[in-house]
Each structure stands twice: as structure tokens, then as C-alpha cells.
Amino acid sequence: MGYTRKLAIRNYIVEGFLILASLIVLLPLVILILGSFKTSAEVLSFSLRLPDTWQFSNYVRVFQEGGLSRAFLNSIWITGISSIINIVASSAAAFILARRETKLSGTIYMYFFMGLIAPMSIITTIRVVQGLGFYGSITSVILIYAALNTAFSVFLYSGFIKTIPRALDEVAFLEGASVFGVFFRIVTPLILPVNATVAIMVFMSVWNDITIPVYFLTDSSTWTMPLSIYNFYGKYSRDWNLIFANLVLTSLPVFILYLFGQKYIVSGLTAGAVKG
Amino acid sequence: MKRTKNLYSYYMIFPALIIYSVFFVVPAIAGFYYSFTDWRLDRLELTFIGWDNFKKIFSDKTLILALQNTAIFALVTVVGKNVIGLLLAVGLNMRLRTKNLLRAIFYSPSILSILVISILFTPMLRTEGTINQMLEAVGLHSLSQAWLTNPSIVIWTIAIVSIWQSAGFQMAIYLAGLQSISQEYYEAAKIDGASSWRSFFKITLPLLLPAININLMLTLIGGLKVFSEVYVMTGGGPGNASQVVGTIILRSFGEGNWGLGTAVNTLLFVVVTIIAIPLLIFMRRKEVTE
């Protein structure tokens, strides 16, 4: 009895301490959200005070003056297509690499794995894209994101595909299925949860990224949400309420995705990162 | 059944292989070559200049400062993110009533863009900003600072913001690791009369090695590649006080010093690989023996 009571007291202390610590995370976020509903004079205190009147008009203004609808569509397009390319290409590659256990496949796996470690070489990538004739285009950014996430995705997929018994494939082969048939009919349905994990991870990292747009999107009509906001931040540096409304808007899609995909993030991390 | 092996056509690797090679590997390899040239925006003809770019890097005070800052940033964030992440995970792995809510709160900053976090913190870190007001409110006047404009602490400030954002992500990986440890080990240890500290060091930490491994790699590599938070919060300033490798590359790109910028990138590539690969091998080996 004494032991469990001591445990209970310890749990209360830990819980109290963690609740206090969570304020360090929570307060800046609350300041951000409250600030997005204030007037530009009110927001300047960056405090936890509630707005005198809730300025929903901030959000309308941001959309009208910030040209956000274009940026929003660009972001959706870039993030969506690069995630899809990444998922299809990486899972197909990981499937073969996991199944063919030869020296060559081991070498190719290491070749992909290097991408997890090595930083990209931006200036030469620009030259390659210029040489191919589409520097500054949305297509170039889509392909670069697909490439940058290949290492991570192949790593996650191949760890998972190895846990699927090979006997399943063999039966299908005996029935006359092709390798594509086996991949799309048998493996793809079984790796749906990993697809969800990869989709969410790639989507979040691409949606949130600013480095690639800074170098590769030279024309404002191709800008993504983060880049438009960075530009807006420079122009409206006095209107923190509008800037904050902008920040909330750009965070909304990933927040919603996170709410729906929460369990895939955790299960994917467990399967891929911790056990892999 | 040996024959089925050949049914797995290598063609299916090609799409990923081509995209990855063209947009990642080819530029990386080309970078090694261009690092040894005087490649400039205004000059199309290249001359091979040997180690000159690298000599320039090590004789330029700003570039050395950038390397130093990158190292400080990486070290501080690796330690901060992992220690805090692990502490949070151990606490939130206990039976607490609010654990699900608290996990979600601590994780939440890591789903946001570093751009959002950086813009949010910029006004709060000013001399008259929220952080200093809070410090003064609790009587810590002496800690009050010009967080982003004091050259001697600016890189530390940026590192702390980065820790604030991502410790919750590290926590999530540690939690996943903790949950894969069987309770039986702890019950056996309890019967043997082991203290909680002893079980932590003798059971938890060794069995958590895969998670520690992946977190160290992620934070270290991420730390060395730092760019966005510095770009948004200070742009490398005040003066050049917070320049890092990432911002130097942008600057040399903007100035048209492409050969030099590529050399800085190559240096980063080599440093990351030299640190990461032995660490990876060492960790893998440790995992196996445990």
C-alpha cells in the first residue's frame, strides 16, 4: 500500500510539473491566435488579453491584400503532386529492394540511404534545373521535393515491406500475376498505413518548407503560402494582427491533417524509425 | 522458389532512382567539381582553381564565424531537444490523467512551419517584448536581454527557439520507443529491489537505444543544415553575428559567387558525412550487442 501511495504522489508531482511546462509551449500559440483577432494597436502588447472586439475582418483582409488564394492553390498543387509522386515511386522501389536480396539491391539501398544524411547542393541543383529548362517553375519544385523525400520514404517503406511474408507474392506469381499486379493488388493494400504515414510526413514537410521556394520560385505567381507570408511580413511589418492571421491560416491545413492523421504519425514512427 | 526472385523487375526502381539521381545526386556530385572552380554568375568560362575556395573560407572571418555558429547551433539543439524530449517522454509515459492532452500540446509546435514559429517569436524576443516582460514579472530582471540583437547570444536564442519547436517531436519518437519496452523487465527489476533510477539506467536507456540513435541523427543532421530560422529571425545579423552555413550559401548565391557557395556546401556535406556515418555505425553496433 505504502509503495502505491508513494507512486501516486510522485505521479501528481510529475503531472503538476508537466502542466506548468506545457504553458511554455501553449502561451506563445495562444498569443498568436488571440493576436490574429485584435486590432493593429491592440496586438502590439503581444499579451494574453482577449481582444476588445473580435476582428474577424483581419482574415478577410489577409486574403484580399495578401493574394493568398493564389499561394494557397500553389501550395496545395506542389504539396499534393510531389507527395503522390514520392509515394508511388518510393514504395515501388522499396518493394523491389526489399524483395531482391542481391548485392546490387543492397548497393542501391545504400545509395538511397545516403540521401537521409547528405545535405542537398542547392546552387548546382539550380544549374541542373536551368539545364533542363524549367527553372522557376512549379514543376521543378515538385520534382525536387519528390527527390528530397525519396530517401526517407524508401527507408520507411522497405522496413515495412520486409514484414510482409514473401509467400503471398509467390502464390500470386504462380497464379500468373505480373510484378505490377503483385505490387498493386497485394502489397499496396497491405502498406496503406505506411502510405498514410509517408503522405502526412511529406505533406507537412513540403507545406511548411521555405528553403526551396526561396531559391527556386522566382516569380510571385508561383509562390507558396510560406513565401507569400514571408513577403507579407516584410511589407506589413506594422500590422502584426494581419501577420498573425496569415500565420494561423497557413498552419490550418497541416493542423487539420494532423488531427486526422495523428495515429498514422505515431504508428509510422514506431514501425519505421524505432524498429527499422 | 528461387526463380521467383527474378520476377521482381528492377524497372520498378527506375522512377524513384531517376528522380532522386537527377535532382539530388547529380547536383551533389557536380558540387564537388564546381567547388574547385572560380564559377561565377558573370563568367561562363570556368577555371579550375584547386583549393582556393576552401582557403578563402578558412581565411574569411565571417565564414569562420558561420562555421562556428553552425557547430554551436547543432550542439545546443542536439543536447536540448534530446534531453528535454526524453524527460517529457518519460514523464508522459507514466499514468497521468492529462497525459494525452499534454502529449498533444508538446507535440503541436513541431507540426507548424519554422517560418510561423520564427515570425511569432521575433516580436516577443525584442527588448520590450513579451519574454522580457514575463521575466520581469517573475522577478528575473537580470535575465532580461536583447535576445536577437545582442551578437554574443543571438545564435543561442535561435537555438532555444528551435528546441522549443521540436523537442515535442523528439518526445514522440522516445514515447514510441518507451512503449515498445516490455513491462516484464521492470517487474523483474522491482522484484530484485532495483530503484527507479537503476531501472532507468539499466533497462530503459539500453532498450531505448534505437530511438536515441534515430533522434541523435535527426537532430544532428537537422542542426548542421540550419537555415530557415536564422533567415527569418535575423537574416544572419546583427552584423554577421548569426550567420550560419545555410545563410552564407544564400549570400554567395545572391552575390553570384557560385563556386565559393558550392564549396561551402561541399564542406558542409563532408562534415555531416564524417560525423554521421561513424555515429551511425557505432550506434547500430551498440543496438545489436544489447
Side-chain angles (χ1 to χ4, degrees):
Chain A
M1 273 305 254
Y3 189 71
T4 37
R5 182 179 289 168
K6 221 164 83 187
L7 270 185
I9 292 170
R10 194 184 68 178
N11 278 11
Y12 281 127
I13 295 171
V14 170
E15 188 152 23
F17 185 77
L18 285 170
I19 289 173
L20 275 180
S22 76
L23 293 180
I24 298 174
V25 171
L26 216 47
L27 293 184
L29 298 177
V30 175
I31 290 175
L32 169 70
I33 294 167
L34 288 179
S36 74
F37 291 104
K38 291 179 178 175
T39 63
S40 47
E42 233 182 317
V43 74
L44 282 176
S45 63
F46 301 105
S47 69
L48 293 166
R49 275 250 309 272
L50 290 177
D52 290 337
T53 49
W54 292 74
Q55 308 284 327
F56 292 96
S57 58
N58 288 344
Y59 283 87
V60 182
R61 267 190 74 191
V62 158
F63 248 96
Q64 283 166 349
E65 292 172 35
L68 273 198
S69 35
R70 184 65 189 263
F72 189 82
L73 289 177
N74 287 341
S75 269
I76 290 278
W77 184 245
I78 291 175
T79 314
I81 302 293
S82 62
S83 307
I84 291 169
I85 293 176
N86 183 264
I87 286 168
V88 175
S90 305
S91 59
F95 167 56
I96 303 299
L97 291 176
R99 289 299 194 240
R100 285 190 86 130
E101 284 162 338
T102 60
K103 256 203 181 128
L104 178 62
S105 75
T107 312
I108 299 175
Y109 182 78
M110 280 315 293
Y111 177 75
F112 279 125
F113 190 81
M114 276 302 293
L116 273 181
I117 298 169
M120 78 177 288
S121 176
I122 289 178
I123 301 176
T124 42
T125 307
I126 292 176
R127 286 300 288 175
V128 168
V129 173
Q130 279 174 339
L132 294 169
F134 50 42
Y135 177 60
S137 71
I138 282 180
T139 314
S140 69
V141 175
I142 288 174
L143 290 170
I144 290 166
Y145 279 131
L148 284 181
N149 288 296
T150 302
F152 169 75
S153 306
V154 168
F155 174 69
L156 216 59
Y157 278 120
S158 57
F160 210 85
I161 291 172
K162 276 183 191 148
T163 66
I164 299 173
R166 200 185 284 246
L168 286 178
D169 308 7
E170 279 160 2
V171 171
F173 279 132
L174 287 178
E175 307 252 318
S178 70
V179 65
F180 291 99
V182 171
F183 176 66
F184 286 110
R185 291 246 185 95
I186 295 171
V187 177
T188 303
L190 289 172
I191 58 170
L192 273 184
V194 201
N195 282 339
T197 305
V198 173
I200 292 164
M201 299 300 273
V202 174
F203 192 98
M204 292 212 292
S205 78
V206 175
W207 184 274
N208 287 335
D209 180 60
I210 182 166
T211 314
I212 301 298
V214 161
Y215 282 96
F216 289 87
L217 295 176
T218 44
D219 179 0
S220 65
S221 69
T222 58
W223 282 357
T224 56
M225 288 286 277
L227 205 53
S228 298
I229 284 162
Y230 185 69
N231 182 54
F232 190 89
Y233 167 61
K235 257 203 268 181
Y236 290 74
S237 54
R238 291 203 193 124
D239 297 319
W240 281 100
N241 54 340
L242 299 184
I243 293 169
F244 281 2
N246 226 325
L247 297 182
V248 173
L249 274 178
T250 198
S251 307
L252 222 49
V254 280
F255 182 71
I256 292 167
L257 188 72
Y258 168 70
L259 282 186
F260 285 108
Q262 217 177 0
K263 70 172 188 196
Y264 293 109
I265 297 177
V266 176
S267 68
L269 287 174
T270 325
V274 180
K275 285 180 191 156
Chain B
M1 276 302 180
K2 258 231 139 127
R3 237 186 285 148
T4 59
K5 227 176 200 176
N6 301 324
L7 291 171
Y8 296 105
S9 156
Y10 269 118
Y11 290 117
M12 286 183 70
I13 303 181
F14 285 174
L17 201 60
I18 291 168
I19 295 172
Y20 173 74
S21 300
V22 173
F23 295 98
F24 187 84
V25 180
V26 168
I29 293 170
F32 273 92
Y33 172 73
Y34 285 113
S35 309
F36 295 97
T37 66
D38 63 347
W39 191 27
R40 290 186 59 87
L41 172 67
D42 47 13
R43 226 182 305 149
L44 284 173
E45 262 176 49
L46 293 178
T47 325
F48 196 78
I49 53 167
W51 293 96
D52 279 10
N53 284 326
F54 295 94
K55 282 181 197 152
K56 205 184 271 173
I57 293 171
F58 287 105
S59 61
D60 182 324
K61 271 192 190 144
T62 309
L63 295 181
I64 290 183
L65 181 63
L67 292 173
Q68 254 173 25
N69 280 339
T70 308
I72 293 175
F73 182 90
L75 207 67
V76 173
T77 51
V78 166
V79 174
K81 288 173 185 179
N82 285 290
V83 171
I84 295 173
L86 185 57
L87 286 175
L88 291 175
V90 170
L92 290 172
N93 200 34
M94 294 163 68
R95 280 196 205 105
L96 309 180
R97 252 170 283 176
T98 50
K99 76 173 180 207
N100 286 334
L101 178 69
L102 288 173
R103 282 178 189 176
I105 292 174
F106 284 115
Y107 188 80
S108 60
S110 61
I111 64 168
L112 302 178
S113 171
I114 189 72
L115 172 88
V116 170
I117 305 297
S118 304
I119 294 181
L120 168 63
F121 271 94
T122 306
M124 299 207 299
L125 287 165
R126 286 178 187 158
T127 322
E128 73 283 5
T130 317
I131 307 282
N132 283 343
Q133 283 172 16
M134 283 180 177
L135 286 175
E136 274 155 34
V138 292
L140 293 167
H141 296 266
S142 51
L143 286 178
S144 184
Q145 275 281 352
W147 298 99
L148 289 172
T149 47
N150 178 348
S152 50
I153 62 158
V154 58
I155 195 69
W156 292 79
T157 308
I158 300 171
I160 290 168
V161 173
S162 177
I163 294 170
W164 180 90
Q165 174 178 33
S166 113
F169 185 81
Q170 265 61 57
M171 171 201 77
I173 296 183
Y174 283 128
L175 266 172
L178 285 174
Q179 278 155 10
S180 69
I181 300 176
S182 163
Q183 281 304 312
E184 287 166 25
Y185 292 112
Y186 295 105
E187 277 152 24
K190 209 192 279 172
I191 291 166
D192 290 344
S195 68
S196 326
W197 283 110
R198 216 179 135 73
S199 330
F200 180 75
F201 284 106
K202 294 286 167 188
I203 301 171
T204 312
L205 274 188
L207 289 172
L208 208 53
L209 267 181
I212 296 175
N213 178 8
I214 199 84
N215 263 339
L216 283 183
M217 292 299 293
L218 283 177
T219 48
L220 180 69
I221 294 167
L224 291 170
K225 291 181 190 169
V226 54
F227 168 75
S228 308
E229 43 272 71
V230 179
Y231 175 68
V232 177
M233 281 195 272
T234 65
N240 282 314
S242 64
Q243 294 283 9
V244 287
V245 168
T247 52
I248 288 290
I249 294 171
L250 181 70
R251 199 179 68 171
S252 2
F253 173 69
E255 289 169 350
N257 285 323
W258 293 354
L260 185 69
T262 309
V264 176
N265 203 76
T266 302
L267 197 65
L268 179 67
F269 189 113
V270 172
V271 170
V272 171
T273 314
I274 286 178
I275 300 176
I277 300 236
L279 187 67
L280 206 70
I281 294 171
F282 172 75
M283 296 286 203
R284 285 273 156 200
R285 204 171 289 156
K286 267 227 127 147
E287 272 174 37
V288 178
T289 53
E290 288 300 338

